[in-house]
């Protein structure tokens, strides 16, 4: 409902600007209330930072889950990665969650994939639990015997018992919509 409060730097910028304004005002007028105002605004900034950390919006949850999956792959712990994958998963070429797990294990065992880096996680629109699905795009660099860079177009679905989970994805050539020849 109030996700906008915790999305982006808007509140931080507004409070910092107010603190700066009060400091300039104090410098010019040397009034004690200006310094008290600065202290109150700095306190509000600290309180907001705590709230910002405590509140996980849908957008933050999706970003966290993408990063958790990458970290789990890097730790070669596919069980941890697959906690964030829906049981209704289907890959671009039709693989189920179980088939994806088997392929992932083979890639790790054969050292085709040793580590992945993800960045530029972009979520299309506002995630809506009512709508139930959201498209996410991010960049991936795969390190291993076959190193390559690709973009991933992923579909996340909201499942009340698990939150946002990966339902499907396809790998595309960077900054295009053209399929990458190497699909999982």
């Amino acid at each position: 409902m109030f996700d906008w409060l915790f999305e982006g730097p808007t509140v931080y910028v507004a409070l910092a600007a107010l603190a700066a304004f009060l400091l300039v005002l104090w410098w010019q007028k040397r009034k004690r209330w200006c310094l008290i105002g600065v202290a109150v605004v700095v306190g509000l900034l600290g309180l907001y930072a705590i709230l910002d950390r405590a509140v996980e919006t849908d957008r933050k949850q999706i970003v966290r889950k993408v990063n958790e999956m990458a970290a789990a792959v890097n730790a070669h712990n596919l069980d941890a990665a697959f906690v964030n994958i829906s049981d209704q998963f289907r890959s671009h070429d039709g693989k189920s969650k179980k088939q994806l797990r088997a392929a992932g294990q083979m890639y790790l065992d054969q050292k085709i994939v040793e580590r992945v880096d993800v960045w530029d996680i972009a979520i299309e629109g506002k995630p809506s639990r009512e709508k139930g699905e959201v498209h996410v795009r991010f960049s991936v660099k795969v390190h291993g015997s076959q190193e390559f860079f690709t973009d991933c177009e992923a579909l996340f679905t909201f499942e009340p018992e698990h939150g946002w989970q990966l339902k499907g994805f396809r790998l595309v050539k960077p900054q295009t919509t053209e399929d990458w020849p190497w699909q999982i």
Side-chain angles (χ1 to χ4, degrees), residues 21-159:
F21 172 76
L22 288 171
L23 271 175
V24 168
L25 196 59
W26 172 79
W27 186 259
Q28 292 174 347
K29 302 206 180 260
R30 302 290 178 173
K31 297 288 183 182
R32 183 175 174 188
W33 65 266
C34 293
L35 284 180
I36 292 170
V38 170
V40 168
V41 171
V42 169
L44 287 173
L45 261 168
L47 179 63
Y48 179 74
I50 291 168
L51 284 173
D52 191 25
R53 290 262 187 209
V55 173
E56 183 177 58
T57 64
D58 288 340
R59 183 177 301 278
K60 287 180 182 178
Q61 184 183 116
I62 292 166
V63 169
R64 176 180 56 82
K65 289 191 172 199
V66 169
N67 287 321
E68 281 179 358
M69 286 186 277
V73 168
N74 293 344
H76 295 224
N77 182 357
L78 290 183
D79 290 337
F82 276 75
V83 165
N84 296 313
I85 297 178
S86 171
D87 290 336
Q88 285 74 45
F89 175 86
R90 284 285 176 255
S91 70
H92 185 59
D93 62 352
K95 284 189 175 71
S96 67
K97 180 178 178 177
K98 185 177 178 181
Q99 292 169 319
L100 179 67
R101 172 82 169 74
Q105 191 62 57
M106 185 219 23
Y107 291 136
L108 287 174
D109 290 345
Q110 294 179 5
K111 299 194 184 302
I112 295 169
V113 175
E114 292 185 32
R115 183 172 56 93
V116 295
D117 298 322
V118 297
W119 67 96
D120 285 343
I121 302 169
I123 299 169
E124 287 182 16
K126 182 183 183 319
S128 167
R129 293 180 182 196
E130 293 77 32
K131 194 169 140 187
E133 293 184 340
V134 68
H135 292 272
V136 180
R137 188 174 175 119
F138 52 92
S139 298
V140 180
K141 172 126 190 215
V142 176
H143 303 272
S145 64
Q146 297 181 6
E147 290 198 9
F148 67 94
F149 166 71
T150 184
D151 284 342
C152 181
E153 292 181 349
L155 178 65
F156 275 76
T157 186
F158 184 78
E159 298 175 3

